[in-house]
Amino acid sequence: MEATQFRYPLLLLLLTCGLAPEVVAEVEESSGDPSAAQEPVQLTDVPAAMEFIAAVEVAIIGFFQDLEIPIVSVFHSMVQQFPDVSFGISNDSEVLAHYNVSGNAISLFRLVDNEQLKLEGEEIENMDATKLSRFIMSNSLRFVTEYNPMVMLGLFNAMVEIHLLLMMNKASPEYEESMRHYQEAAKLFRGKVLFVLVDSGVKENGNVISYFRLKMSQLPALAIYRTLDDKWDTLPIAEVTVDQVQNFCDGFLKGKLHKSEEKTPKEEL
Ligand SMILES: *[C@@H]1O[C@H](CO)[C@@H](O)[C@H](O)[C@H]1NC(C)=O
Ligand SMILES: *[C@@H]1O[C@H](CO)[C@@H](O)[C@H](O)[C@H]1NC(C)=O
């Protein structure tokens, strides 16, 4: 039991060790260019808010009693930083009541696991742009989420404990078709397995690939793991098909490992 509890943060640590400096720099660089300002969508009634949330994989809504408080401008600054996330804002009392907001809150709604994460109370009072952007970056999980060290944090906080990684070079000619199949398979495992893409063309992702004891020459490959007990399995694949992904996931869910030996992380980790 203790060994498991000890290994869990090690995996997390390993996979997030590339984190700190670059991510922070990126966050600070991209914030605050007012000329490129984009606005969150104003949600003026409950049906509009519901429709907005239902239409996208990830929606982030600011629920504010008062639009003059400092957190509102921090919220606005996120919109241009995350162009592929949908931002809404509301100060309508019925909308706030519907979403059970009594003060001010920022909520993230995601489709992949029906999760709703809410920042409120003190968390909102102490929120700054760096913290809010980390929250968004790590928790914006989609049917297929592209890996980066921040995403790893969000994956480990998710209720879904089984994660599937496709390690593949985004520049390869098969990438687009593979991704279509991978997306399709991801929908079949909604709420059961979270799907991640690891671009093997990104040098920093090498540590993820070597963690699963894969070599570049074996890619593309699938790796699946369960955060609960660090159990994992891998499968190098010639091409990504829905069937192959589905069989691999089903097998793992049934407790079958692709290779007979029990795989545990390397001792020196
Ligand atoms: C919401 O904000 C708008 C714009 O600041 C304001 O005109 C409106 O009165 C506010 N509504 C509520 C319910 O506070
Ligand atoms: C608000 O809270 C009630 C009672 O806890 C719950 O049934 C309802 O689903 C919540 N509404 C939303 C939109 O989360």
Side-chain angles (χ1 to χ4, degrees):
M1 200 60 217
E2 255 174 41
T4 304
Q5 283 169 356
F6 191 61
R7 283 210 312 260
Y8 164 96
L10 283 179
L11 172 62
L12 184 60
L13 194 71
L14 173 84
L15 298 180
T16 55
C17 69
L19 191 65
E22 314 91 280
V23 173
V24 174
E26 205 179 297
V27 166
E28 282 164 4
E29 252 169 52
S30 52
S31 66
D33 173 14
S35 64
Q38 281 183 335
E39 295 299 316
V41 174
Q42 287 279 348
L43 303 169
T44 52
D45 55 34
V46 174
M50 290 174 76
E51 207 175 300
F52 184 81
I53 292 164
V56 291
E57 287 192 43
V58 178
I60 295 170
I61 317 280
F63 298 105
F64 304 115
Q65 305 282 346
D66 176 352
L67 297 178
E68 303 302 315
I69 57 175
I71 183 66
V72 178
S73 53
V74 174
F75 185 76
H76 275 268
S77 75
M78 294 298 115
V79 181
Q80 72 216 48
Q81 211 180 100
F82 296 96
D84 48 4
V85 173
S86 299
F87 288 88
I89 191 167
S90 187
N91 65 335
D92 179 82
S93 52
E94 281 178 20
V95 173
L96 270 61
H98 178 82
Y99 291 98
N100 297 327
V101 175
S102 51
N104 298 298
I106 294 173
S107 292
L108 183 151
F109 299 82
R110 62 187 189 215
L111 198 57
V112 64
D113 55 356
N114 274 328
E115 188 75 74
Q116 180 187 337
L117 305 173
K118 196 193 246 179
L119 299 168
E120 58 190 339
E122 268 181 36
E123 286 172 312
I124 284 283
E125 280 154 35
N126 302 324
M127 189 58 57
D128 59 28
T130 304
K131 282 191 214 158
L132 184 54
S133 107
R134 286 189 160 213
F135 170 80
I136 295 169
M137 225 184 287
S138 56
N139 292 302
S140 294
L141 305 179
R142 300 154 194 282
F143 279 109
V144 175
T145 309
E146 180 160 356
Y147 169 85
N148 68 48
M150 289 298 280
V151 160
M152 210 63 205
L153 295 174
L155 286 170
F156 272 80
N157 286 329
M159 296 293 285
V160 176
E161 290 172 336
I162 298 177
H163 307 154
L164 178 72
L165 313 183
L166 168 63
M167 302 179 196
M168 175 171 207
N169 193 329
K170 279 176 89 171
S172 72
E174 300 81 21
Y175 171 72
E176 276 186 26
E177 199 187 342
S178 298
M179 198 38 68
R180 253 201 321 278
H181 295 157
Y182 196 54
Q183 282 272 358
E184 208 177 306
K187 291 180 183 162
L188 301 176
F189 288 92
R190 184 175 165 193
K192 292 196 201 111
V193 179
L194 291 170
F195 280 49
V196 179
L197 168 74
V198 180
D199 182 2
S200 58
V202 173
K203 199 165 144 256
E204 293 72 31
N205 292 345
N207 62 345
V208 182
I209 295 158
S210 57
Y211 177 83
F212 292 104
R213 297 184 192 169
L214 288 163
K215 299 189 187 74
M216 285 295 177
S217 59
Q218 292 175 289
L219 305 187
L222 297 170
I224 193 164
Y225 67 88
R226 180 165 48 217
T227 56
L228 179 72
D229 56 5
D230 265 351
K231 189 165 258 185
W232 57 273
D233 196 13
T234 55
L235 180 68
I237 46 174
E239 60 172 329
V240 180
T241 65
V242 177
D243 273 357
Q244 203 158 21
V245 172
Q246 195 174 359
N247 289 340
F248 183 58
C249 289
D250 281 339
F252 188 79
L253 290 168
K254 286 184 195 132
K256 198 167 62 190
L257 289 188
H258 182 247
K259 289 194 180 135
S260 55
E261 55 164 334
E262 177 88 353
K263 289 175 181 174
T264 50
K266 281 182 268 184
E267 287 303 318
E268 67 266 31
L269 298 176

